[in-house]
Amino acid sequence: MGPVRPHPRSLPRPDGPGESRDAELPLIGRFLPAPVAAKVPEIILLFWVVKILTTAGGEATSDYLKTYGNFGGGGLEVLVIVVGLVLQFGTRRYRTLAYWSLAYAIAITGTGVSDFLHLDVHIPYAGTTLLWAVILAAIFWVWNRSEGTLSIHSITTQRREAYYWATVFATFALGTALGDFTATSLNLGYLDSGILFGVVILIPALARWQLGLNGIAAFWMSYIVTRPLGASFADYISKPKNLSGLNFGDGPTAIVFAAAVLVLVSYLALARPDIQKPREAPAAQARSTPPLPDLPHRGELEVD
């Protein structure tokens, strides 16, 4: 009797970094390719700069689209996020333009959804802030329970990528509500809110440096704050003076921030300083893994 081989569905896919077919998304996995490498960028300083500019541009763009009403402006917001999802999930590894296109689309639509709940459903900013905080906590819980990690270095399957982008959407919506809450409900104004969040975003980094805060927790805490930080300064620039702004206008503000994002994203696409390096399997694990000589491997197994 020959050796018992594991079922094919339990084996690593030959075309992916240790990904099984169970990690594909239902239906979507039939039409869009599975990842073969990390689908998100390495976290460098320029990542935070582009992220904050994206949040600011998304805020101004969404506010401008409101002039076309819920159907016109809302329809455009749905369209941009659908296009962004197709572009991003259609790639097999991190592609700068696809990634930031979806991030920008979520910045626009996340703002629109959060504002709709306040302006049209009439939920106060404190209520929408609490609502999105609960949604975000639920996504984190389900993601960690399903995958065992919230690390950005683990985004190498369709399912983990879906959790990642659901988290990003919730952080954008939460940040929008939180920024509006401090600026209007607490009467801080947009500039003071921006300064406040500029200080708050440094706390996770200091806690990691001085108190040994977990790196994954520090990342997501800072990531959440980028939204109200960027949005507060965007509102300060665009809103009328009677609303504590500079009255530059939503449209012009959106164009300026979009242009800045385009320039930096183009640099990232050309210079590629934010490509994640492949994660090598620990030596002990590599020694304990039996060889599979009958499987055609086209790449090395990556283990986060």
Side-chain angles (χ1 to χ4, degrees), residues 63 66 70 111-125 128 180:
D63 288 347
K66 285 185 181 65
N70 286 338
T111 299
V113 171
S114 184
D115 286 344
F116 174 80
L117 292 176
H118 174 73
L119 298 174
D120 295 270
V121 185
H122 304 295
I123 300 176
Y125 285 129
T128 54
D180 289 334

Side-chain angles (χ1 to χ4, degrees), residues 205-290:
L206 292 174
R208 176 161 172 73
W209 176 37
Q210 293 292 330
L211 304 176
L213 177 65
N214 177 271
I216 296 174
F219 167 78
W220 284 114
M221 290 168 65
S222 296
Y223 193 95
I224 292 169
V225 180
T226 60
R227 177 56 181 178
L229 172 61
S232 294
F233 281 108
D235 283 337
Y236 172 68
I237 295 170
S238 65
K239 299 307 179 189
K241 293 183 178 180
N242 65 332
L243 296 178
S244 76
L246 295 178
N247 198 31
F248 190 63
D250 292 326
T253 301
I255 292 173
V256 169
F257 280 109
V261 170
L262 179 60
V263 170
L264 294 179
V265 168
S266 297
Y267 165 78
L268 290 173
L270 294 173
R272 297 166 61 85
D274 57 344
I275 304 298
Q276 287 192 28
K277 293 180 173 60
R279 300 279 165 167
E280 296 182 359
Q285 180 177 348
R287 288 194 298 270
S288 64
T289 303

Side-chain angles (χ1 to χ4, degrees), residues 13 19 22 27 32 80 85-86 93 131 136 149 176 179 187 190 193 198 212 222 234 254 271 287 300:
R13 295 184 61 181
E19 177 188 353
D22 292 332
L27 185 61
L32 296 177
V80 296
L85 285 168
V86 172
R93 53 174 51 83
L131 171 65
L136 178 61
T149 179
T176 298
N187 297 315
Y190 296 119
S193 289
S222 296
R287 288 194 298 270
E300 296 180 354

Side-chain angles (χ1 to χ4, degrees), residues 18-294:
E19 177 188 353
S20 72
R21 294 187 184 277
D22 292 332
E24 292 180 353
L25 294 175
L27 185 61
I28 294 178
R30 294 179 176 270
F31 300 99
L32 296 177
V36 296
K39 292 293 298 291
V40 301
E42 189 61 81
I43 306 305
I44 60 176
L45 177 60
L46 195 53
F47 170 87
W48 295 109
V49 175
V50 177
K51 175 64 171 63
I52 293 171
L53 292 175
T54 298
T55 65
E59 173 76 18
T61 303
S62 180
D63 288 347
Y64 175 75
L65 290 177
K66 285 185 181 65
T67 60
Y68 294 95
N70 286 338
F71 289 100
L76 287 173
E77 291 183 0
V78 171
L79 177 61
V80 296
I81 201 170
V82 169
V83 172
L85 285 168
V86 172
L87 288 175
Q88 173 63 16
F89 278 85
T91 63
R92 307 202 72 182
R93 53 174 51 83
Y94 166 64
R95 300 296 187 191
T96 309
L97 293 178
Y99 176 89
W100 288 108
S101 292
L102 179 53
Y104 210 105
I106 290 178
I108 296 171
T109 309
T111 299
V113 171
S114 184
D115 286 344
F116 174 80
L117 292 176
H118 174 73
L119 298 174
D120 295 270
V121 185
H122 304 295
I123 300 176
Y125 285 129
T128 54
T129 300
L130 179 61
L131 171 65
W132 287 111
V134 171
I135 292 174
L136 178 61
I139 294 172
F140 275 138
W141 184 83
V142 174
W143 180 3
N144 190 61
R145 181 178 176 84
S146 171
E147 306 300 320
T149 179
L150 303 177
S151 171
I152 59 140
H153 298 109
S154 71
I155 312 302
T156 55
T157 70
Q158 285 182 347
R159 186 169 61 203
R160 290 177 178 180
E161 187 178 8
Y163 284 127
Y164 174 85
W165 287 111
T167 301
V168 171
F169 187 95
T171 63
F172 272 98
L174 170 60
T176 298
L178 183 59
D180 289 334
F181 175 71
T182 58
T184 59
S185 299
L186 298 183
N187 297 315
L188 290 182
Y190 296 119
L191 179 59
D192 288 346
S193 289
I195 295 172
L196 170 65
F197 290 116
V199 174
V200 171
I201 199 172
L202 299 176
I203 294 177
L206 292 174
R208 176 161 172 73
W209 176 37
Q210 293 292 330
L211 304 176
L213 177 65
N214 177 271
I216 296 174
F219 167 78
W220 284 114
M221 290 168 65
S222 296
Y223 193 95
I224 292 169
V225 180
T226 60
R227 177 56 181 178
L229 172 61
S232 294
F233 281 108
D235 283 337
Y236 172 68
I237 295 170
S238 65
K239 299 307 179 189
K241 293 183 178 180
N242 65 332
L243 296 178
S244 76
L246 295 178
N247 198 31
F248 190 63
D250 292 326
T253 301
I255 292 173
V256 169
F257 280 109
V261 170
L262 179 60
V263 170
L264 294 179
V265 168
S266 297
Y267 165 78
L268 290 173
L270 294 173
R272 297 166 61 85
D274 57 344
I275 304 298
Q276 287 192 28
K277 293 180 173 60
R279 300 279 165 167
E280 296 182 359
Q285 180 177 348
R287 288 194 298 270
S288 64
T289 303
L292 298 172
D294 57 333

